[in-house]
Amino acid sequence: MDNFKKIGKKIADFLGVFIPNITFLVIFLTFMVTIVSRYFFKTPVTWSYEVSVLGYMWTMFFGVGKAMEADEHVVFGLVYDAVKPRTQFIFKVVYNTFLLILLVTCFVPCFQSMVGKKMVTGVLKLPYTVVFAPFMYMLAEIIVRTCINIKNAFKEYKEGGKES
């Protein structure tokens, strides 16, 4: 079981760190090619916008799990920080449970929609199934991380005592 966890962690690290770094590098290089082409050669590059958008999407889709793992996603903690630990525990569990229900509910329809698409992108002619495949990875990773967050909330609450 430990080997399975180690392999899973290495795969998640590769997909959550290495791939976003590569896609962000692609965005930057595309941006530079666009500038050089437009201002020095007076010829616009038709594929640059599409590559930039796809690179940004993939950066976000693959990187969101790492943001959740590091707890660096956007939150509004004004009320959360002001309440007692027991109420914080309830907030965590309710929020993550609702998130889990929504994500599990939308997973199959999203997968069916992605697989059913016969469309291709405008310039590069990439199939939408390839373009949006990382979205399915993102959904799966958020589902797993949400389950981990629920488990950790119970663990933290039991370890921290039941202050009311």
Side-chain angles (χ1 to χ4, degrees), residues 107-119 127-137:
F107 190 85
V108 172
C110 287
F111 181 77
Q112 290 171 339
S113 176
M114 184 192 72
V115 171
K117 294 280 187 213
K118 302 296 179 210
M119 297 169 54
Y128 272 26
T129 52
V130 172
V131 168
F132 290 105
F135 178 75
M136 297 309 301
Y137 169 77

Side-chain angles (χ1 to χ4, degrees), residues 75-94:
V75 294
F76 299 100
L78 185 63
V79 174
Y80 178 82
D81 292 338
V83 297
K84 295 180 180 180
R86 183 170 190 260
T87 308
Q88 288 180 348
F89 164 74
I90 292 168
F91 283 175
K92 279 183 192 177
V93 172
V94 169

Side-chain angles (χ1 to χ4, degrees), residues 46-55 120-126:
T46 57
W47 50 266
S48 64
Y49 177 73
E50 191 169 301
V51 169
S52 295
V53 169
L54 295 177
V120 295
T121 60
V123 178
L124 299 176
K125 305 298 183 206
L126 296 172

Side-chain angles (χ1 to χ4, degrees), residues 18-28 54-56 58-59 62:
F18 183 73
I19 298 294
N21 283 325
I22 296 300
T23 55
F24 195 77
L25 181 64
V26 167
I27 295 168
F28 177 74
L54 295 177
Y56 179 75
W58 279 36
T59 301
F62 283 113

